[in-house]
Amino acid sequence: MMEVKEEIGKAITAHDHWKQKLRQAIDTGECESTPDRVKQDYNCSFGKWLHQRIDENQKHSEYYEAVVSIHADFHKEAGKILELALTGQKEKANALMRLGGDFSTISTKLTTLMKEWQNILP
C-alpha cells in the first residue's frame, strides 16, 4: 500500500510542476514537450503507473476509474493550453489557466481525488 501512497504523492507534485511548465510555455512560447505528447495521459510517470504498473487490487478501488478519467482530462486540457502557448495565443492560453476555467477545475478535482484515495489507504 505504501507504494500506492507514494505514487499518488509523487503524481500530485508532478502535476503541480506541469502547471508551472504551462505558465512558462505561455510566457516564452517554448516547451520541451509537444501538445500531442502532453495530451496522452500514459506518457507521464503517474499515467504509466496507472495504466501498467499499479497493483491489480488497486484497480478495484472506488477511486481508480475516476482518477484514470480525470487524469486523462487533465492531459487533454494541458495539451490544448500548450498548443495555444506554442502558437503565440497567450490570451486564450491564459484564459484556460484561470481559476474557474476548465483546466483549473479539472486540476483541482484530480488533486482532490488523489488525496482522498491516499487518505483511505492504510
Side-chain angles (χ1 to χ4, degrees), residues 5 11 14 19 30-31 35 52 68 87 89 93 102 116:
K5 272 188 162 179
K19 288 184 232 172
E30 297 175 6
C31 184
Q52 300 166 11
V68 168
T87 57
Q89 298 178 64
D102 286 350
E116 286 175 9

Side-chain angles (χ1 to χ4, degrees), residues 10-26 30-41 43-47 71 74-83 85-86 97 103 107 110-111:
K10 286 191 282 188
I12 291 168
T13 302
H15 288 87
D16 238 19
H17 288 305
W18 254 103
K19 288 184 232 172
Q20 294 164 3
K21 281 186 184 182
L22 287 173
R23 288 190 205 300
Q24 189 175 6
I26 292 168
E30 297 175 6
C31 184
E32 79 280 355
S33 197
T34 66
D36 287 341
R37 188 164 168 74
V38 171
K39 286 177 186 175
Q40 298 168 348
D41 69 312
N43 275 331
C44 71
S45 61
F46 185 64
H71 180 250
F74 176 93
H75 278 270
K76 283 180 201 139
E77 284 301 310
K80 262 195 248 178
I81 292 167
L82 185 57
E83 207 165 317
L86 297 181
M97 292 281 294
F103 181 74
S107 181
L110 178 61
T111 301

